[in-house]
Amino acid sequence: MSKLDTILAKPRPDADDLAVLLGAHVPAEQARLLAAAYAVKVREVGAVVYFRGLFELSNLCSKDCLYCGIRRSNQNVERYTVPVEEILSGARWAWEQGYGSVVLQSGERSDPAFVDLITELVTKIRALSHDQLAITLSQGEQSEATYRTWFEAGAERYLLRIETSDPDFYRRLHPADHSWERRRDCLRLLDSIGYQLGSGVMIGLPGQTVEQLARDILFFEQEKVVMIGMGPFIPHADTPLRDGIRNFAWKRHAQLTLALRMIAVTRLYLQDVNIAAATALQTLAPNGREQGLAAGANVIMPNLTDPKYRTAYQLYDGKPCLDESATQCRGCLEGRIASLGETIGFGQRGDSHRFQRSKDKLRFGQGE
Ligand code: 5AD
Ligand code: FES
């Protein structure tokens, strides 16, 4: 048996096996890896895809990450904030369609007007959906008081990508005043407040190794991450990392397959988490997100932002669906999901099984 098949025959890979799996780029081996991950997904969380309606509500950002197209120093973007009413009508549409959750994402700001805006949106989305829509926030690093205010207003889930679990590598991708430790502490705060915790990394960053990616997966487990969103790094022309990957055009396929293996290995190791098939996958192949589902992902985040804002929310170059409206996006996705033999979990919140189980354990422990 090959090394790969020996690992795949175990009930769950060991921590030391992860880098070997991530490096399995020979097509026949990769196919066996992805198939094994798909089987674990079906067993643990079912052949069901959950939709999260994504609203990119503002591209104003106070940070300056070296890879990101909406970084503060990029003067070539027109900055916008979507009016409250537009977000609310989008959220109402998502609720009527049977979406279980919406994600409010934006650049990072922490001024009082912004904190109030998010509180207002959370409160009103809860009300208009009769508490049925689960709300996921993705507003970056905030104070404990802000996280608590939003949680008390009714947000239950929070996405904060650690980007890489390696602090030294993080420092190379960010200006000196961005802190990996502060970000990690935010994850711990969010978990302690009671949010369902989401995080993730970028895959295929310049100089990143499979050993680092393996440690990223261990980091998710250590930090009690139950929702994972990660996607391939794609250079953006207006950022310092524009040439981070030489001849990127030739490396698109390699970036895509590495990202798919990262999804698969995360599924094999963490088993019952929710994993999103990131939109960035679709930049690298028209059916990239479906390939993500076939590699073990179980969440898709259809972009419900009004197309008029979308070109201004380009975190990376070549972001797909820049001019499609929400209904068009829905039509194209549903057909492709059905062709995979999966159903869409309409009318269900699709909480992370891992989160549910950890809550149950806690409850059981307290009852003893
Ligand atoms: N390529 C891929 N993903 C990126 N992000 C930001 N810039 C890029 C890029 N150039 C991701 C980061 C961030 C998320 C919102 O988008 O991981 O957390
Ligand atoms: Fe906005 Fe990184 S550039 S958070």
Side-chain angles (χ1 to χ4, degrees), residues 67-69 105 138 160-161 163 183 200-202 231-236 239 280 313 315-317:
Y67 43 83
C68 185
Q105 191 172 76
S138 184
L160 180 68
R161 287 191 182 180
E163 314 297 0
R183 208 165 176 82
V201 295
M202 279 179 288
F233 165 68
I234 298 167
H236 187 294
T239 65
Y313 205 86
L315 307 179
Y316 44 84
D317 281 340

Side-chain angles (χ1 to χ4, degrees), residues 61-65 67-68 70-72 107-108 174 178 183:
C61 191
S62 58
K63 297 189 96 180
D64 221 11
C65 307
Y67 43 83
C68 185
I70 64 167
R71 64 200 300 268
R72 181 184 64 212
E108 196 171 301
H174 298 90
H178 293 30
R183 208 165 176 82

Side-chain angles (χ1 to χ4, degrees), residues 53-55 82-99 101-102 104 121 125 128 133 302-306 326:
L54 173 66
F55 296 96
V82 182
V84 170
E85 275 316 313
E86 286 186 34
I87 302 277
L88 295 181
S89 67
R92 191 172 297 110
W93 182 86
W95 173 63
E96 285 164 2
Q97 300 298 311
Y99 278 58
S101 177
V102 290
L104 304 182
L121 286 169
I125 293 173
L128 71 84
L133 273 178
N303 193 344
L304 303 187
T305 314
D306 190 304

